[in-house]
Amino acid sequence: MNSLVTKTRSFLNETGSISKFTARFFSVGIRPRYEVKELLTQSYVIGYRSLPLIALTGFIMGLVLTMQLRPSLVVYGVESKLPIMIGIAIVREIGPVITALIFAGKIASSIGAELGSMKVTEQIDAMEVSGTNPFKYLVATRVLAATLMLPVLTVLGDAICLFGAYIGVNMHTVTSYRLFIAQVFEDLSFGDFVPAFIKTFFFGFAVGLIGCYKGYYSSKGTRGVGNSANTAVVLASVMIFVIDLLAVQITDLLGLN
């Protein structure tokens, strides 16, 4: 019983701390003066360097998804509907969520470890002494870069995933790429693209914010830095599913599903 009370209190304290950190980002982080050079650097590090991993996982995901779906569709004699099903599944749900989870695994841990190391070695304190606002320079730039880069990576990941699905389809039948794309987009609508794209901004914001929060308040020692990196990945992954659930509920209420 005492353990449950302690865990509940710890959860509420953590939720309150993250809420304060988020409020600080909107009250301090997005005000001028902007650290444009650092933002561009972080966009390159977070976006461009994540692309190979996103591309590889996207290609494999499209290939495996096709191989898994095809036998079931063959049983019911609707194998021709395979590109349509794959297109809807990838664009609406699988592409954004899987890309965000891969992104969280790479970026949230990286940011958590980087800022955690800076916290432990007192580099963040030194920045404050030298007159540099570490929250704007370190946190705001990384959160904004993650928020802007994940939607781009998701679009590219979806395209590569569809290419993997095209390869999977052609392992059993011969289909031209033009026909495959036409079938994929046959049943996709505005309500499929826009909500899936918009929620990736929230995924990216959550990943960047939680990675920075865990690193910024990392405890002393190498174990503290390691814990910051690990808990950042876990918490960011949970937040992605929570945001996805809310997004599905909202789009359902708006009649976009």
Side-chain angles (χ1 to χ4, degrees), residues 130-144:
S130 65
T132 302
N133 187 333
F135 194 90
K136 290 179 68 67
Y137 188 82
L138 298 175
V139 176
T141 52
R142 283 161 176 77
V143 175
L144 287 174

Side-chain angles (χ1 to χ4, degrees), residues 197-221:
F197 184 69
I198 291 176
K199 69 183 178 184
T200 58
F201 286 95
F202 292 93
F203 290 163
F205 178 78
V207 171
L209 188 83
I210 291 171
C212 289
Y213 167 77
K214 286 295 182 181
Y216 205 76
Y217 294 113
S218 175
S219 56
K220 298 288 185 182

Side-chain angles (χ1 to χ4, degrees), residues 98-145:
I98 297 298
T99 302
L101 290 174
I102 298 296
F103 187 75
K106 177 175 173 54
I107 299 303
S109 62
S110 173
I111 293 176
E114 182 186 14
L115 296 194
S117 299
M118 295 181 73
K119 179 72 175 179
V120 169
T121 56
E122 299 182 347
Q123 293 181 57
I124 293 178
D125 296 334
M127 291 178 71
E128 289 179 343
V129 172
S130 65
T132 302
N133 187 333
F135 194 90
K136 290 179 68 67
Y137 188 82
L138 298 175
V139 176
T141 52
R142 283 161 176 77
V143 175
L144 287 174

